[in-house]
Amino acid sequence: MTVAMIGEAQNLPASLLLVGGGKMGGAMLEGWLKVGLPGSAATVIDPHPGPDLQQLCAARGVALNPASDTIAPPEALVLAIKPQVLAEVGPQIAPLVDSRTTLISVLAGKTIANLDAAIPGCGGIVRSIPNLPAAIAQGATGACTSPGLAEERRAMADALLGAIGVVAWVEDEGLIDACTAVSGSGPAYVFLLAEELARAGIDAGLPEELAQKLARATVAGAGAMLAQSPLPSGTLRENVTSKGGTTAAALEVLMAENGFRPLLRDAVAAAKNRAGALSG
């Protein structure tokens, strides 16, 4: 596995077609424009573009929903639609690509074989799974390529995915469902932690507003510290746990045999299984 940070502008494609401009697609487009992709190099297809997407495209000169016969095969096609509509959308997009096009998918559960069947004729495929913090360029993306993808095409994909955060490349496509379960769905687990920590604070006697403020700041601060520290997460946990102290008492509950560890393991397994089921 290799990990890369923000992509370099010189590897960005000369032309890009984004299919799907929802929250993830819009976040990616904004990231690409920030790292140097000219608006004139991008085209977006979305049947129901939201006001934010419309405003961004208008402000940066990005073509939004042009006539299909005016779209030349792009160097990069980024697919950011719902996985369930791939079979419907694929045939509509297939005529717009050729062997010069690299398909980059962010569809959960859809395999390289699924993508190749739905949109044949591309010169290579990158399967990836970013997560919600991509919206603030703090995303975590797991990615893999179709066999034999040219290095320059992978570098281009790395630049595009790196514009929204950290990219972790894996050689085994079978690991992508696990990436989906850990990082793709992971932000929801963290948001749930903040939600339940606040609820527990209320149960312990804190006013609701104070409990929410403390829980939110605690999760955000711990995350920032984790991102900046070179120490393993387990070491950071040990560093704030005094023997016989309050944190130790809480961790004794969380780390019990039926506590947080097996619960999270089961949650990740459920997400991974669901990602596998989406391949059809």
Side-chain angles (χ1 to χ4, degrees):
M1 181 184 76
T2 57
V3 178
M5 299 300 288
I6 299 300
E8 297 187 18
Q10 65 262 32
N11 290 325
L12 293 172
S15 58
L16 180 147
L17 174 61
L18 171 64
V19 180
K23 289 183 179 179
M24 185 58 69
M28 291 192 295
L29 177 61
E30 191 167 0
W32 303 330
L33 295 171
K34 283 181 179 178
V35 298
L37 181 73
S40 59
T43 299
V44 178
I45 296 177
D46 189 301
H48 306 290
D52 289 345
L53 179 64
Q54 294 182 50
Q55 183 177 3
L56 178 62
C57 290
R60 299 300 297 272
V62 176
L64 177 60
N65 292 328
S68 59
D69 59 4
T70 66
I71 301 175
E75 191 174 345
L77 163 64
V78 180
L79 201 58
I81 58 176
K82 295 183 182 301
Q84 295 87 343
V85 300
L86 176 61
E88 175 188 347
V89 173
Q92 301 172 36
I93 301 303
L96 305 181
V97 306
D98 64 17
S99 61
R100 295 166 293 180
T101 304
T102 301
L103 168 59
I104 303 169
S105 166
V106 300
L107 278 59
K110 293 304 180 184
T111 66
I112 289 172
N114 294 150
L115 296 162
D116 187 47
I119 307 177
C122 290
I125 297 174
V126 173
R127 180 184 174 191
S128 69
I129 184 72
N131 63 9
L132 186 61
I136 57 169
Q138 296 291 319
T141 301
C144 68
T145 73
S146 55
L149 187 74
E151 187 56 39
E152 62 269 20
R153 290 179 184 248
R154 173 165 160 160
M156 178 182 65
D158 190 70
L160 291 171
L161 297 172
I164 55 173
V166 175
V167 186
W169 290 94
V170 298
E171 300 306 316
D172 179 3
E173 186 185 359
L175 295 176
I176 292 295
D177 287 345
C179 292
T180 302
V182 172
S183 57
S185 301
Y189 314 155
V190 177
F191 298 149
L192 178 62
L193 172 62
E195 181 183 353
E196 293 305 324
L197 185 58
R199 198 187 312 273
I202 294 169
D203 291 343
L206 292 176
E208 181 176 355
E209 184 176 353
L210 179 57
Q212 294 281 1
K213 182 176 182 179
L214 288 175
R216 191 182 187 105
T218 297
V219 172
M225 187 174 183
L226 184 63
Q228 294 178 21
S229 175
L231 297 174
S233 54
T235 301
L236 292 173
R237 169 180 55 78
E238 292 168 357
N239 287 349
V240 297
T241 308
S242 301
K243 187 176 180 179
T246 58
T247 306
L251 288 176
E252 188 174 344
V253 175
L254 290 172
M255 299 177 72
E257 192 172 317
N258 61 344
F260 188 61
R261 184 176 296 167
L263 188 63
L264 190 58
R265 183 182 62 239
D266 291 347
V268 168
K272 179 184 176 183
N273 291 338
R274 179 55 184 156
L278 285 172
S279 68

